[in-house]
Amino acid sequence: MDPASLYFTFCTESRSLILTNMRLGCPRRYPALLPLTLVTTLFFISPVIGWRPWPHNKTNAHDLVFGDSKKFEGSSEFVRLKYHMGPVLTANITVHTIWYGTWERNQKKIIREFINSISAVDSKHPSVSGWWKTVQLYTDQTGANISRTVRLGAEKNDRFYSHGKSLTRLSIQSVIKSAVGAKSRPLPLNPQSGLYLLLTSADVYVQDFCGQVCGFHYFTFPSIVGYTLPYAWVGNSAKLCPGVCAYPFAVPNYIPGLKPLKSPNGDVGVDGMISVIAHEIAELATNPLVNAWYAGQDPSFPVEIADLCEGIYGTGGGGSYTGQLFNGEDGTTFNMNGIRRRFLVQWIWNHVVSYCTGPNALDQ
């Protein structure tokens, strides 16, 4: 979801105060003799948030932070991810997709395979299904785990831009209303285990796109749609801001000397979308009505399980460093396998061990 504001942290190694938008923590603890008052004074803690090269953070875009712990990837004793007693998706999850705008056939195939890979049992390790196992660790108030089954449901094409090429957050709900209320082949209504995934093509602008968000999730309002439905929006950034939302397959001009990685499926915009789609589906499963799993005191601005690890894709990741990844024989970069394709997908927060985890971790 939306990025949090900058915060300060103090590291005893350098005795310097660092202003950064990244997930920071001192790799070594303070000595026991350090007065508690000093610790209290030096730490200005707000919920940690993942890294992405947002334009308003240009001054810190090239900062790299490394720790001497193998468990440094997003780890923090200050993260207080809590369960707020709301529902999570314990029944089999069905993803209903709305293709808004102009989409090529191969672009749809890439995204469909990723969604189908979440529950695939025979994918080569490290796999997308292995990544989902962290999501499955989260439970509801009865102790029931999130479902291991995520399947592709019905689809709706809106190739004629029924609500225009510039959408607000509220008009996104109107697009969903049109899809579930269509006279011809409407999307099925499945409030308890259905997710509605609205994907906008590269020529569509959505409110706050590129400047603050690459995707977001929420639930529809009955006053607009007629039902309360968990949904997510993700945009194709290929034309508007690939250096932000398709990073690291594209790099902003204000990061000097950093070369983009080669995307695993030959489509920078869609390959960049995959991690954002994963991000939103994971958070929809664990916080569908924004009253289940999140950190922070404000439910209108929750820090969720994927927010905490945005920008981390492998062991050692943190800041603008993605972590250790795989290089294919064709020069492409990825960190996990789907059914037939390869993908680059961010890690997610594991509340059992209190750090970000992924199936490609070198120490697992």
Side-chain angles (χ1 to χ4, degrees):
M1 297 184 72
D2 300 347
S5 58
L6 304 175
Y7 69 96
F8 288 93
T9 189
F10 183 89
C11 284
T12 55
E13 254 72 21
S14 60
R15 295 295 194 275
S16 62
L17 194 63
I18 304 171
L19 176 64
T20 178
N21 70 317
M22 295 180 290
R23 183 184 308 97
L24 284 182
C26 299
R28 300 180 187 132
R29 295 185 177 180
Y30 285 99
L33 53 84
L34 188 65
L36 179 62
T37 53
L38 179 59
V39 176
T40 304
T41 303
L42 293 177
F43 278 97
F44 298 84
I45 301 298
S46 65
V48 294
I49 197 72
W51 187 87
R52 189 176 283 277
W54 299 109
H56 56 277
N57 292 332
K58 292 180 182 180
T59 55
N60 299 307
H62 62 282
D63 290 343
L64 300 179
V65 177
F66 300 95
D68 57 6
S69 168
K70 293 190 297 182
K71 300 298 185 185
F72 185 68
E73 300 88 10
S75 61
S76 174
E77 60 186 289
F78 300 105
V79 174
R80 295 291 182 263
L81 188 76
K82 295 181 179 179
Y83 177 52
H84 298 266
M85 305 305 288
V88 300
L89 300 184
T90 58
N92 291 346
I93 300 168
T94 304
V95 180
H96 302 297
T97 309
I98 303 170
W99 303 96
Y100 191 88
T102 304
W103 289 91
E104 298 175 6
R105 180 176 299 180
N106 190 58
Q107 292 178 321
K108 291 183 176 181
K109 286 183 177 180
I110 295 170
I111 293 173
R112 285 171 183 148
E113 179 169 326
F114 172 73
I115 295 172
N116 284 326
S117 295
I118 294 175
S119 298
V121 295
D122 297 325
S123 298
K124 181 181 177 181
H125 177 79
S127 66
V128 175
S129 57
W131 168 86
W132 186 255
K133 288 181 179 179
T134 300
V135 182
Q136 290 179 251
L137 294 174
Y138 291 85
T139 61
D140 65 10
Q141 55 187 299
T142 71
N145 293 83
I146 288 174
S147 174
R148 69 166 300 275
T149 301
V150 180
R151 57 194 175 199
L152 197 61
E155 298 184 354
K156 192 70 178 176
N157 292 298
D158 195 335
R159 62 177 62 90
F160 297 113
Y161 309 88
S162 63
H163 290 72
K165 291 188 175 183
S166 182
L167 303 176
T168 65
R169 291 180 180 244
L170 285 181
S171 63
I172 280 179
Q173 297 203 21
S174 296
V175 174
I176 297 173
K177 177 184 178 180
S178 297
V180 300
K183 294 181 179 180
S184 174
R185 298 197 299 178
L187 291 183
L189 290 168
N190 191 354
Q192 293 187 345
S193 62
L195 304 182
Y196 296 80
L197 180 62
L198 174 59
L199 305 175
T200 51
S201 57
D203 54 348
V204 176
Y205 174 75
V206 174
Q207 180 183 353
D208 298 327
F209 191 23
C210 298
Q212 297 182 35
V213 295
C214 300
F216 59 77
H217 76 90
Y218 208 61
F219 53 86
T220 61
F221 303 146
S223 59
I224 297 177
V225 181
Y227 307 90
T228 300
L229 305 172
Y231 76 91
W233 158 77
V234 178
N236 186 337
S237 65
K239 292 183 179 179
L240 296 175
C241 58
V244 174
C245 291
Y247 180 88
F249 302 128
V251 178
N253 294 329
Y254 52 80
I255 302 184
L258 187 61
K259 295 182 179 180
L261 304 178
K262 186 177 180 181
S263 66
N265 297 289
D267 190 306
V268 168
V270 173
D271 276 317
M273 289 179 73
I274 292 297
S275 190
V276 185
I277 291 171
H279 177 125
E280 302 304 336
I281 290 179
E283 292 183 345
L284 275 170
T286 54
N287 198 27
L289 300 181
V290 201
N291 61 357
W293 288 94
Y294 64 87
Q297 301 302 315
D298 186 359
S300 64
F301 193 72
V303 179
E304 301 172 273
I305 69 167
D307 296 325
L308 292 165
C309 306
E310 188 172 14
I312 295 180
Y313 301 88
T315 299
S320 58
Y321 175 55
T322 59
Q324 298 188 48
L325 308 176
F326 299 115
N327 292 319
E329 57 281 353
D330 54 356
T332 60
T333 301
F334 65 99
N335 68 343
M336 58 189 76
N337 298 287
I339 299 171
R340 289 174 297 275
R341 298 176 184 269
R342 294 166 169 174
F343 302 102
L344 183 67
V345 179
Q346 69 153 92
W347 286 9
I348 48 181
W349 186 261
N350 184 324
H351 69 296
V352 176
V353 294
S354 293
Y355 54 85
C356 302
T357 58
N360 58 308
L362 298 182
D363 51 359
Q364 290 182 0

